[in-house]
Amino acid sequence: MDVTDLKKHLVDICHRASERWLTAGSGGNISVRIPGTDRYLCTATGVTFRDTAVENVVEMDLAGTQYGDPTWKPSKEYRWHAGVLATCPDVHGVVHTHSTATMAFGCCGIAPPHMTGQARVHLKEIQIVPYADAGSERLRDLVVDVYKRQPDTRIVLLANHGLAASGPSLVEAYNRAEIVEDSAQAYLHCRLLGREPKLDF
């Protein structure tokens, strides 16, 4: 897949995330590694997932240098995206969403339980990091430290912020973000029904 095709792929994932209401406004950001290089593509700051297009996708390297058209600037979260990609060579896609049910768990400082067999297989243990301002070096350090300590991490819950999902491909990272949200919603719906969900299956 060449860079243009990879941009189209990233745009498609952004549109899927928009259709699933995995974020609001211009919140959230997505990145994908350019295979065989020290570069990656990421969404632009201030651009919604819905409005992401090939022409506004930004190319960066892991050291923070931007390439190509300077009209568009990278997401403010590019620091920790680059940090995760640099720390974990097997990670090729990173998806950051602000999905509502998952965010509720993050606001409470607890990880959503795995409600299904699919969640157990695809998510493993969800890590939580304390709140830090979006785009800050502090947030970069918190997220990257998780991956340094546990390189097989798949989901990091950002307190009062959202989640970071990673995977060996962009599709897998996106699927994991969806599964977290579905699992969180299932748990909350069980509680709305007045029932304690069974987690010992």
Side-chain angles (χ1 to χ4, degrees), residues 126-190:
I126 296 176
Q127 308 297 320
I128 304 177
V129 298
Y131 180 79
D133 290 340
S136 66
E137 293 186 5
R138 170 67 174 157
L139 182 58
R140 177 202 61 196
D141 292 346
L142 287 168
V143 174
V144 173
D145 183 60
V146 171
Y147 283 90
K148 286 181 176 178
R149 287 186 285 106
Q150 295 180 275
D152 62 344
T153 293
R154 298 180 177 185
I155 302 293
V156 178
L157 191 59
L158 315 178
N160 300 84
H161 187 161
L163 69 82
S166 59
S169 69
L170 183 54
V171 169
E172 184 61 23
Y174 171 76
N175 287 343
R176 290 170 180 175
E178 270 199 348
I179 293 168
V180 174
E181 178 63 11
D182 284 351
S183 202
Q185 287 190 27
Y187 180 84
L188 295 178
H189 285 139
C190 287

Side-chain angles (χ1 to χ4, degrees), residues 22-173:
L22 294 185
T23 195
S26 59
N29 28 77
I30 296 176
S31 65
V32 61
R33 188 190 300 274
I34 300 175
T37 74
D38 67 345
R39 299 186 185 185
Y40 66 100
L41 304 174
C42 68
T43 50
T45 189
V47 178
T48 68
F49 284 168
R50 180 182 61 254
D51 296 325
T52 298
V54 168
E55 56 268 22
N56 57 44
V57 171
V58 178
E59 183 174 340
M60 303 285 292
D61 69 20
L62 298 178
T65 302
Q66 181 175 346
Y67 295 85
D69 184 358
T71 303
W72 304 98
K73 298 302 179 185
S75 162
K76 70 175 81 172
E77 308 285 22
Y78 77 89
R79 293 177 180 84
W80 64 254
H81 281 261
V84 171
L85 293 171
T87 301
C88 303
D90 293 338
V91 168
H92 283 256
V94 181
V95 175
H96 171 46
T97 66
H98 294 180
S99 48
T100 306
T102 302
M103 186 98 72
F105 277 91
C107 289
C108 294
I110 55 176
H114 297 339
M115 296 294 293
T116 64
Q118 183 186 36
R120 289 184 177 179
V121 169
H122 290 280
L123 303 183
K124 295 190 174 181
E125 183 180 0
I126 296 176
Q127 308 297 320
I128 304 177
V129 298
Y131 180 79
D133 290 340
S136 66
E137 293 186 5
R138 170 67 174 157
L139 182 58
R140 177 202 61 196
D141 292 346
L142 287 168
V143 174
V144 173
D145 183 60
V146 171
Y147 283 90
K148 286 181 176 178
R149 287 186 285 106
Q150 295 180 275
D152 62 344
T153 293
R154 298 180 177 185
I155 302 293
V156 178
L157 191 59
L158 315 178
N160 300 84
H161 187 161
L163 69 82
S166 59
S169 69
L170 183 54
V171 169
E172 184 61 23

